[in-house]
Amino acid sequence: MPKPFDLICIGRSCVDLYSVEFGVPLERAMTFTKSVGGSPMNIAIGTSRLGLRVGAITGVGKEDNGRYLKWQLASEGVDVSAVKTDPDRLTAMVLLSIRGDNDFPLIQYREKCADMGLLPEDIDPAYLAKAEAVLVTGTHLSREGVRAATHKVLETAQRLGLKCILDIDFRPNLWGLQSSRWAEASEAVTAEFRKVLPYFDLIVGTEEEFFIAGGKTEAIAALREVRKLTAATLVFKLGERGCAVLPGDIPDDFTDDVVYPGFPVKVYNSIGAGDGFMSGFLRGWLRGEDAAT
């Protein structure tokens, strides 16, 4: 008998306020539209739209933004029965404008936010048991309490025989790092990733994200460091070139037999591209389709 969910997405959630005045600097923008934000919730919506049965575990505030997130997720077919409503924390929020194809100034309001208030006692093993797979993202390894909750998710999933998926999703500022570059990350960040890598069946990231996970600043070397700790299929995103899919030993370079090209598209802005990619990839991977498909 099939389980109720193909996938449960765990991690950060927020309200995104996007300026609708394209090309206008954020400080001058006056009109905004509201949407769900946070990569795990974007992936939850994306996979639900593609036909998967999806649940969510996150935290929202006991206020209008929290009610909006639960309503919008439910409207997209995502189960929200395990979403925690936190009476003491506000829902996270992001304010941003779009100025070019890879230019989107943003301000994040995440001080003591609700999704970072998840604790181990908020994780219900019975809810996880309803799924075939769980997805976690790197942000929830960045703080002690929510890190413990993430570890409980992974330990429970492993015990239940669920597939475990990691979107590395490294955001320096969400780790409390002042620089926006991966190179400024401390060894402590890599150490936290290394603790959880053995749990996963699938790990997806960009070049810089695999640098963080592997603790090396060269792609093949970083991938080999990750491979020492996990037998997971590694998906290395290559931007407009598509992605490399590495189920076994890491080759000396990315040859045609491991690189799968994407579809040519007109790029208006790259924000959210990784969440769209992950949603599409998971739709096929969880259904057992081959990498080319």
Side-chain angles (χ1 to χ4, degrees):
M1 182 175 179
K3 293 184 177 181
F5 303 123
D6 298 299
L7 176 68
I8 293 175
C9 297
I10 299 116
R12 78 178 189 278
S13 60
C14 60
V15 170
D16 282 353
L17 295 178
Y18 285 84
S19 168
V20 298
E21 301 163 46
F22 300 119
V24 175
L26 183 56
E27 68 268 21
R28 299 181 193 171
M30 300 297 291
T31 309
F32 296 82
T33 188
K34 182 168 64 174
S35 64
V36 174
S39 61
M41 300 305 106
N42 292 340
I43 294 166
I45 288 174
T47 49
S48 178
R49 288 179 179 180
L50 292 173
L52 297 187
R53 299 159 301 147
V54 187
I57 299 176
T58 188
V60 300
K62 191 178 181 180
E63 22 79 337
D64 291 332
N65 280 341
R67 287 186 285 273
Y68 162 75
L69 285 182
K70 292 181 73 172
W71 168 76
Q72 188 63 55
L73 285 164
S75 296
E76 293 280 3
V78 177
D79 181 81
V80 295
S81 62
V83 173
K84 175 185 178 181
T85 298
D86 194 317
D88 301 316
R89 293 170 176 250
L90 293 176
T91 304
M93 187 169 68
V94 176
L95 193 68
L96 68 162
S97 64
I98 296 176
R99 298 192 302 198
D101 61 2
N102 197 30
D103 184 11
F104 39 90
L106 58 84
I107 302 171
Q108 302 204 49
Y109 298 88
R110 294 189 55 83
E111 185 66 26
K112 198 185 175 185
C113 62
D115 70 80
M116 297 298 282
L118 282 179
L119 296 171
E121 52 263 37
D122 298 317
I123 306 302
D124 181 5
Y127 188 74
L128 294 176
K130 296 179 180 180
E132 300 287 350
V134 296
L135 173 137
V136 303
T137 61
T139 302
H140 274 198
L141 299 172
S142 64
R143 294 290 186 275
E144 184 176 352
V146 74
R147 182 188 303 137
T150 302
H151 279 254
K152 182 178 178 181
V153 167
L154 294 173
E155 290 161 3
T156 304
Q158 185 179 68
R159 175 170 53 81
L160 294 171
L162 279 59
K163 294 179 180 177
C164 293
I165 302 150
L166 172 66
D167 186 343
I168 300 173
D169 187 41
F170 177 65
R171 309 296 175 94
N173 59 316
L174 302 185
W175 285 79
L177 301 171
Q178 297 304 309
S179 171
S180 62
R181 290 189 54 76
W182 59 268
E184 301 301 324
S186 68
E187 293 181 3
V189 177
T190 295
E192 291 302 334
F193 277 104
R194 291 175 70 86
K195 290 175 186 176
V196 299
L197 291 178
Y199 286 103
F200 293 104
D201 301 284
L202 176 68
I203 299 173
V204 179
T206 63
E207 179 180 60
E208 293 186 348
E209 287 169 342
F210 272 105
F211 288 172
I212 290 297
K216 300 288 185 180
T217 55
E218 190 277 324
I220 297 300
L223 287 164
R224 285 176 174 162
E225 287 299 310
V226 171
R227 175 59 74 223
K228 290 177 183 178
L229 295 171
T230 179
T233 296
L234 308 180
V235 178
F236 190 97
K237 292 187 282 190
L238 296 166
E240 63 183 14
R241 292 173 54 202
C243 67
V245 180
L246 307 165
D249 293 339
I250 306 304
D252 292 332
D253 51 40
F254 294 142
T255 55
D256 289 345
D257 59 336
V258 299
V259 173
Y260 297 87
F263 294 95
V265 296
K266 168 64 177 175
V267 176
Y268 292 95
N269 186 269
S270 62
I271 193 167
D275 301 336
F277 171 87
M278 188 63 136
S279 299
F281 192 92
L282 287 179
R283 183 262 180 204
W285 187 78
L286 288 171
R287 291 181 172 179
E289 295 177 351
D290 59 49
T293 302

